[in-house]
Structures are given as C-alpha cells and as structure tokens.
Amino acid sequence: MDKTHAHPHTETKKVIDRLSRAIGHLESVKKMVEEGRDCSEVLIQIAAVRGAINNVGKMILQDHINHCVVESIETGDTKVLQDLSEAIDKFVK
C-alpha cells in the first residue's frame, strides 16, 4: 500500500517518538526472553508494549479523522469513509 497525503499530519513527530520508545521497549522485552527472565514479568512488559502501540494507533486514527477524513469529505471523496472503516476493523482485531 503506497499512499501518500498532500496535507500535513500534525502529530508525525509525536508518533515517531512514541514508536521509537515502543521499539526500544520491545527490544528490552526480547532481551528479557533471551536472558530467561520470569514469564510473568515478560508478559507484563509485552502488555505495556501493546498498550504503547495501541496509543500510537489512536493518535494516528485521530489525526486521520481530523485531517484526511475531514478534507476528503469536504471535497466530496466519500471512499475515505470505506477505507477508514476497513482500517478500524483491522486495528481493533
């Protein structure tokens, strides 16, 4: 899927920063597994990473609604609503 947007996304820097932190956290979890750490500790950290990723997804979704969807509706492009619905279905699985 190679889609680019002509309009700015206001949260790009925050999203990238949060993704970088989540990647670092996930690397730490990988190291915990390699070191044979307690399974309960690993599961708790996996839950934290999953929560961080979900929060990034929420940020992207909000930004998408506020910019992409609003702009598309204003220009009469209703396909964006179908695309959004499909993306939400995949995101919440």
Side-chain angles (χ1 to χ4, degrees), residues 15 51-65 91:
V15 166
I53 295 297
N54 283 339
N55 286 333
V56 170
K58 290 175 192 175
M59 288 178 68
I60 292 171
L61 177 60
Q62 190 65 48
D63 189 61
H64 181 61
I65 290 169
F91 179 68

Side-chain angles (χ1 to χ4, degrees), residues 12-42:
T12 300
K13 172 94 169 83
K14 287 181 185 176
V15 166
I16 291 169
D17 290 346
R18 286 186 182 212
L19 284 171
S20 294
R21 283 195 300 274
I23 290 167
H25 196 164
L26 189 55
E27 286 291 335
S28 296
V29 174
K30 179 182 171 190
K31 187 175 180 182
M32 289 174 71
V33 171
E34 291 170 344
E35 294 171 350
R37 299 278 294 273
D38 180 69
C39 295
S40 296
E41 290 178 37
V42 173

Side-chain angles (χ1 to χ4, degrees), residues 5-12 59-75 77 80 84:
H5 299 289
H7 49 274
H9 290 276
T10 59
E11 302 296 328
T12 300
M59 288 178 68
I60 292 171
L61 177 60
Q62 190 65 48
D63 189 61
H64 181 61
I65 290 169
N66 290 337
H67 296 93
C68 306
V69 174
V70 169
E71 182 178 300
S72 294
I73 296 300
E74 288 173 350
T75 61
D77 177 11
V80 72
L84 175 61

